[in-house]
Structure formats: C-alpha cells, structure tokens
Amino acid sequence: MVRTPAAVRDAERWTAHNYHPLPVVISSAEGAWLTDVDGRRYLDCLAGYSALNFGHRHPQLIAAAHAQLDRLTLTSRAFIHDQFADFCRELAELCGKELVLPMNTGAEAVETAIKVARKWGYQVKGVPAGQATIVVAEGNFHGRTTTIVSFSTDTDARDDFGPYTPGFRIVPYGDLAALEAAIDDTTVAVLIEPIQGEQGVVVPPEGYLPGVRRVCTERNVLFVADEIQSGLGRTGETFACDHEGVTPDMYLLGKALGGGIVPVSAVVADADVLGVLRPGQHGSTFGGNPLACAVATEVVRLLATGEFQHRSAELGARLHESLRALIGQGLVAVRGRGLWAGIDIDPALMTGREACERLAERGVLAKDTHGSTIRLAPPLVVTAEELDHAVAQLAAVLAGAR
Ligand SMILES: *Cc1c(COP(=O)(O)O)cnc(C)c1O
C-alpha cells in the first residue's frame, strides 16, 4: 500500500501554507539517508538547511541527548546547571572568544546581536540615544522576526509585515566602497553573512571580508558575522570567515550547533562587547538549557577534532569539480565552498522546483531557493560514492530535459 499521497494530503490539510514542501513523507533517517513512510530511501542533500551537518542521529550526539534526558532537561537560567559552563567554555574556545550568550533559534541570535550592538553603541561608542544604525547587505537572510524582515530585500519575506523597524542601511553585497560609504558616526555594526546561503550560496569577491574587517576596525564599528548556515564545518573550515583569515567581533551560530536534535543558537564575542548586558536586560526561558548544552557540547567536540571540516573541504572539492563538468549540460553556474553548492539550472529547461521534484523521484532530496537555483548541502558524513550518485542523478534529470 502506498501511503505517501494520503500522508501528503493530511499534512497540507492541517497546516498554514507557509511552506511548499516536496511531496515526500519521511519517517526515519540515519547518517545521510532518509526513509519515507513507504520504505523508499533518499539521499539527503539539504541536511536541514545545514542543521544536520553531522548527519541524522549521529551516535555521539544521540548518546549525549539520551544521557541528559535521564538526568535533567530544564532549569531556566534562574539556576545554574552542570552542563552550562563546559558548553560555554568549549564553544568560546572553538571561536577564540571570551563569552557565549546561548539562545535557541538563529533569529534569536540575530536579535540578540542587534540588541548588544545597539547597547554597545550607546554605552561604549557614544552614539546619541536612539540614533544607532546597522549596515546590512542586499540579498541577506537573517531570519523571520518583524525586525529582521524589516531589512530583508526579499519581497516575499518582507511585504505586508510592516510597520518596519528603523535603524538599518542596506548596501549591495560584496561592494566594500558602498559599505564604507554607508557608515557614519551613528553606525554600531555591520551585519553580514560571509556567504549568502538563502540567496543561492553567493560567495563575496576575494578580499571583501578582510576589507569589511579593516573598515569596521578603522571606523569603530562591530563586525557581526552571521555564520548560522555557513559555520560549523559547512564550507571546509570551522567558519566561512576562516577562508580569508578574518575574525569578526561577533559570531552568530545556530542550525548545526543543535546537532539536528534541539534548537541551539549562540552569540559568541569578547567581554568588551557582550559585557554590556546586565541581569534583566536580555534572556530566554529555554536558552542554554541542559539538554541543549549537552548536545551542543558534543557538537563542539566533534568540530574540535577537525575531521568534519577536513571531510567538507576534500569532498567539497570533488562535488564542485563534478558539478562544474555539468556547466553547458543544463547548468549555467556553480558557486560555493566545501560541501555547499548553489547551482543555477538553465531556466529554459525547468525551474529549480521542477528539478528538485525530479531529483526526489530519483531518490535525492534537495531544495530550490530562488527561481532556477538549487542549494546542495549534504551532511558532512556523506561519502564520495554517495556524492557521485547525487551528481549522476542531477545529470540524468538535466539530460532528460534537454
Ligand atoms: C537559518 C538562518 C537564520 C535563522 O535561523 P532560524 O533558526 O530559522 O531562526 C539566520 N541566519 C542565517 C544565515 C540562516 O541561514
């Protein structure tokens, strides 16, 4: 009995239509593979938008979660728990920073950074009250809150959700002169993604990130790097900023930090920045809870071995080489770093959505982003053979349309 169509219908019947999922209904997963309600297997080439960098149900992460569930799950930050200090210390060390502020979702980490940057601006930089500005980039994706969509340039994300939060200046991504020109005495931060994931895995021109670092230092502005999707091994380094030897003032982390098990996000910075917050000024009921800390500590330990960054770099080179071979065969462009690729399909052939539907029929799950662009981001535990298989299925989908 094929259960998928009924299960798809049921899922659509009872939910707001703020997503347009592929018509697959998953019931279990392990490593890089998903299994649907009818027992069909799919190679996961999205990895939960990089929340599953270590694959589904990584044994070390599952063991940490099980052990913590049997001991303690929540205290709130009103009390200290025994998983808290190790998590904060180990994550701070991974980032080369002094302090950690844990939250839950990526959007909350971004909101936290905005609040911290503004308070830093008023208390340390001396910006006149209520005047703080933050420079952001066109094509950004930083989350879905009302403040964050206020500075989105994606009409779907932004339209009809106003009134919008003021205090943001939008400049073209990758244009250092425009960024510098947007900074004045009211500017407290530059908030950018070191690679724009949702925009289609857009890598800025070489020298841009070091340039942003230099300008921020010269103008006494905080460089806030949203590494929620690009960080934690995805690009072949711990952070996408590492490729150009750049250290931001604040790292924003999320997605993979929770090991694909629980939502965990964090702002990581030095004491001269995060130290502006005093008790009562910011918080979260679930932020830094024992289960989150237990899982995220193991995530940090996996990353501290360097194994996943290494895999991502090596396998990423293979992925990009085989994808580039499809340029002219139905692909028009390939971007990205490590096990992260944005590919543009010839729009005359099909949309990104259609390509993803055909890939799903061939047992490979990926997600389109804008128009004819697909993002490929398999878990970092994927093997070379599995990658070759995914690219072969893509080649077959393209060949079928030509
Ligand atoms: C996913 C994402 C966010 C938002 O994270 P949520 O957990 O969905 O709130 C913010 N920034 C970037 C770069 C992201 O990819």
Side-chain angles (χ1 to χ4, degrees):
M1 184 187 68
V2 176
R3 289 188 286 160
T4 304
V8 168
R9 235 181 5 255
D10 286 353
E12 294 198 343
R13 167 68 182 81
W14 296 104
T15 185
H17 287 179
N18 59 326
Y19 278 89
H20 182 27
L22 289 170
V24 294
V25 182
I26 305 302
S27 59
S28 65
E30 183 167 3
W33 291 88
L34 300 154
T35 305
D36 76 6
V37 288
D38 294 314
R40 278 186 296 256
R41 279 162 46 86
Y42 304 85
L43 183 64
D44 187 352
C45 284
L46 178 64
Y49 301 91
S50 290
L52 288 154
N53 279 2
F54 311 97
H56 295 268
R57 297 169 47 246
H58 188 286
Q60 197 173 324
L61 304 180
I62 292 293
H66 277 303
Q68 192 58 41
L69 280 172
D70 287 337
R71 278 199 302 266
L72 176 73
T73 57
L74 190 64
T75 55
S76 87
R77 293 285 307 277
F79 315 127
I80 301 169
H81 62 77
D82 65 0
Q83 301 298 306
F84 192 71
D86 281 349
F87 165 63
C88 294
R89 177 176 47 78
E90 292 184 36
L91 181 59
E93 284 170 2
L94 185 78
C95 298
K97 295 287 186 193
E98 293 167 352
L99 300 177
V100 169
L101 195 163
M103 297 293 283
N104 311 283
T105 65
E108 287 175 311
V110 174
E111 290 277 350
T112 301
I114 291 167
K115 289 173 70 175
V116 167
R118 285 176 174 175
K119 199 172 263 296
W120 174 87
Y122 299 127
Q123 297 196 340
V124 179
K125 181 166 175 169
V127 173
Q131 301 295 305
T133 57
I134 294 175
V135 178
V136 299
E138 273 171 16
N140 70 73
F141 182 84
H142 297 288
R144 300 292 195 173
T145 66
T146 47
T147 286
I148 293 171
V149 301
S150 294
F151 57 87
S152 172
T153 56
D154 174 347
T155 53
D156 279 339
R158 184 176 195 276
D159 284 3
D160 294 333
F161 296 125
Y164 301 110
T165 304
F168 299 94
R169 292 179 181 162
I170 304 171
V171 297
Y173 187 62
D175 182 342
L176 188 62
L179 181 130
E180 187 159 16
I183 293 175
D184 64 19
D185 290 344
T186 67
T187 306
V188 296
V190 169
L191 166 63
I192 54 167
E193 299 153 88
I195 294 178
Q196 288 188 328
E198 299 300 309
Q199 188 59 20
V201 196
V202 175
V203 182
E206 206 183 324
Y208 178 65
L209 297 175
V212 173
R213 175 67 280 176
R214 179 180 51 74
V215 166
C216 285
T217 303
E218 284 171 7
R219 306 291 294 273
N220 193 25
V221 167
L222 299 175
F223 179 2
V224 183
D226 182 344
E227 293 256 17
I228 290 167
Q229 193 167 160
S230 59
L232 308 183
R234 175 51 59 192
T235 64
E237 296 275 0
T238 304
F239 302 110
C241 284
D242 294 344
H243 288 279
E244 297 207 57
V246 163
T247 305
D249 297 299
M250 274 193 253
Y251 286 107
L252 309 187
L253 305 176
K255 294 205 164 97
L257 190 57
I261 300 174
V262 278
V264 186
S265 67
V267 174
V268 189
D270 280 339
D272 58 349
V273 176
L274 271 181
V276 298
L277 289 180
R278 312 306 312 161
Q281 296 175 348
H282 190 58
S284 162
T285 304
F286 290 98
N289 70 74
L291 182 60
C293 288
V295 171
T297 302
E298 291 305 320
V299 165
V300 173
R301 288 175 186 167
L302 289 177
L303 285 165
T305 67
E307 179 195 333
F308 292 91
Q309 296 89 321
H310 184 70
R311 286 187 70 83
S312 180
E314 296 247 300
L315 293 169
R318 185 185 184 101
L319 174 68
H320 283 274
E321 193 186 312
S322 56
L323 288 173
R324 275 195 301 270
L326 295 177
I327 292 179
Q329 318 277 317
L331 284 195
V332 292
V334 177
R335 297 171 297 275
R337 281 193 201 280
L339 278 175
W340 204 20
I343 58 178
D344 298 339
I345 294 185
D346 180 350
L349 292 184
M350 65 190 114
T351 64
R353 171 77 188 188
E354 284 163 344
C356 288
E357 286 170 355
R358 291 177 202 180
L359 280 170
E361 285 162 12
R362 292 176 159 274
V364 174
L365 293 187
K367 182 73 176 78
D368 54 305
T369 169
H370 299 93
S372 55
T373 299
I374 299 181
R375 163 188 23 205
L376 296 175
L380 310 183
V381 298
V382 74
T383 65
E385 295 69 36
E386 289 163 346
L387 276 182
D388 293 349
H389 170 73
V391 176
Q393 300 315 307
L394 176 66
V397 165
L398 297 173
R402 287 166 71 226

